[in-house]
Amino acid sequence: MKKSIIIAASAAILLSGCASKKELQSCRDENKALSSNLLSAKEDLAGKNARITSLEEQQRGLQQALKAAEEKYDKLQESLNQSLKNANQNNVSIEKLVDQINESNQYIRHLVEVKSKSDSLNMVLTNNLTRSLSKEELKEVDVQVLKGVVYISLADNMLYKSGSYEINDRAAETLSKIAKIITDYKDYDVLIEGNTDNVPISRPNIRNNWDLSCLRASSVVQALQEKYGVDPKRLTAGGRGEYNPLQGNDTELGKQRNRRTQIIITPKLDEFMELIGEAPETENN
């Protein structure tokens, strides 16, 4: 009986020991698996943390790039706005400039038309005058057109008595022909200009060459008015003495050329003033 009990107890102990070893091994195996899982989890966590850190760095980089892009955009927008503003201002200036150019072109066309008309009239006037003068008269009368102005130059020995401002008889026919041309062209003003050489002159009623040139011009003006009916409002008398020579006064031929009276036929002064009044104004931008 006792023996049976001892055997049974021993068997129980052995069985108990076997069970503890299995449990222990099982625990060891489980622990090892848990440790392996823990290590794997830690490695995975570390990887994810590293990924998070990388993403955070990328985010910061993107934020910085976005900020730089926004700043650049703001600058570009400001530059664009300024460019648009300048463009608008330039467009206004260009429009004004275009208007001024158009006005100037219109004014130039007007000037060309006026000049063409004036040149045509001057040519007709000159041709009519030269055709009316005889060959002998043309030897002592010089007709020229300079810059739209008709110059009729008459030698003093044809017009006046020697050393005098009185008009001689042989000048009457020539002056009548010139007066006819002046009367026909009513849109012209007439300046009579006396010129002398540099030889001094002194008479009771003539102090010097200034007096002589002015008196000679005045004599022609009065002859045109009183004898040939030219409107005195169109006439002006002036003298330039010896100070407007054509040639030097060191030769007799030069002195002879300088002693002359010029009948200068020009468009009316008020027409010139009206033309000036039509000139386009300019602005400084």
Side-chain angles (χ1 to χ4, degrees):
M1 184 77 178
K2 285 184 176 180
K3 186 176 180 178
S4 298
I5 294 171
I6 291 171
I7 291 172
S10 297
I13 291 170
L14 288 174
L15 289 172
S16 175
C18 289
S20 297
K21 287 182 179 179
K22 289 181 180 180
E23 290 177 356
L24 179 60
Q25 186 61 42
S26 176
C27 287
R28 287 177 178 173
D29 291 341
E30 185 178 356
N31 183 60
K32 184 177 180 181
L34 290 173
S35 296
S36 178
N37 290 337
L38 177 61
L39 180 61
S40 177
K42 288 182 177 179
E43 290 176 351
D44 184 58
L45 179 61
K48 290 181 177 180
N49 287 334
R51 178 61 178 166
I52 290 172
T53 301
S54 176
L55 291 173
E56 289 176 345
E57 291 177 354
Q58 290 181 20
Q59 184 182 20
R60 286 193 294 271
L62 290 173
Q63 288 175 343
Q64 292 175 354
L66 178 61
K67 183 178 180 180
E70 289 175 346
E71 291 176 353
K72 186 175 182 180
Y73 172 80
D74 291 339
K75 290 181 179 179
L76 288 173
Q77 187 64 46
E78 182 179 356
S79 177
L80 177 60
N81 291 337
Q82 186 63 41
S83 297
L84 291 173
K85 181 178 179 181
N86 292 337
N88 291 332
Q89 292 175 347
N90 289 335
N91 285 336
V92 173
S93 299
I94 291 172
E95 290 175 359
K96 290 182 179 179
L97 181 59
V98 169
D99 290 340
Q100 291 175 5
I101 290 174
N102 290 335
E103 290 178 3
S104 298
N105 288 337
Q106 184 177 1
Y107 176 63
I108 291 171
R109 286 193 296 270
H110 181 59
L111 283 178
V112 171
E113 291 174 0
V114 170
K115 185 178 185 302
S116 298
K117 180 180 178 182
S118 177
D119 289 345
S120 299
L121 288 173
N122 289 340
M123 188 61 65
V124 173
L125 185 156
T126 302
N127 290 337
N128 289 344
L129 177 59
T130 53
R131 281 200 300 266
S132 69
L133 297 174
S134 66
K135 292 182 179 179
E136 291 300 319
E137 288 174 321
L138 286 173
K139 293 179 181 179
E140 298 179 301
V141 179
D142 181 35
V143 182
Q144 295 185 21
V145 178
L146 300 174
K147 297 181 179 180
V149 177
V150 179
Y151 291 84
I152 306 170
S153 184
L154 300 96
D156 73 321
N157 58 355
M158 184 197 75
L159 277 175
Y160 313 105
K161 298 176 182 179
S162 179
S164 171
Y165 56 86
E166 294 181 10
I167 296 176
N168 60 36
D169 295 334
R170 62 187 292 258
E173 185 176 355
T174 303
L175 283 179
S176 67
K177 295 175 181 179
I178 295 174
K180 174 67 168 57
I181 295 296
I182 293 174
T183 303
D184 289 343
Y185 291 86
K186 299 182 182 300
D187 293 331
Y188 287 77
D189 281 334
V190 183
L191 168 64
I192 313 301
E193 180 185 272
N195 295 269
T196 70
D197 58 24
N198 66 346
V199 177
I201 185 172
S202 179
R203 302 284 176 86
N205 56 345
I206 303 175
R207 294 170 296 180
N208 49 40
N209 283 325
W210 277 115
D211 280 354
L212 180 60
S213 64
C214 291
L215 289 169
R216 284 181 169 179
S218 179
S219 293
V220 174
V221 164
Q222 292 179 65
L224 291 173
Q225 174 188 352
E226 295 170 1
K227 293 184 178 181
Y228 308 110
V230 177
D231 185 354
K233 294 179 180 179
R234 299 173 57 195
L235 300 173
T236 301
R240 303 189 67 175
E242 62 194 71
Y243 301 103
N244 184 36
L246 292 177
Q247 296 184 2
N249 285 297
D250 50 350
T251 65
E252 190 57 40
L253 179 60
K255 292 177 182 178
Q256 183 180 342
R257 289 291 309 278
N258 294 333
R259 295 191 301 267
R260 69 199 187 280
T261 296
Q262 287 187 310
I263 300 176
I264 304 171
I265 305 175
T266 66
K268 286 184 176 294
L269 181 60
D270 57 352
E271 292 182 1
F272 273 125
M273 297 306 294
E274 288 178 4
L275 189 62
I276 293 172
E278 294 175 5
E281 297 180 356
T282 58
E283 295 180 4
N284 295 325
N285 294 322

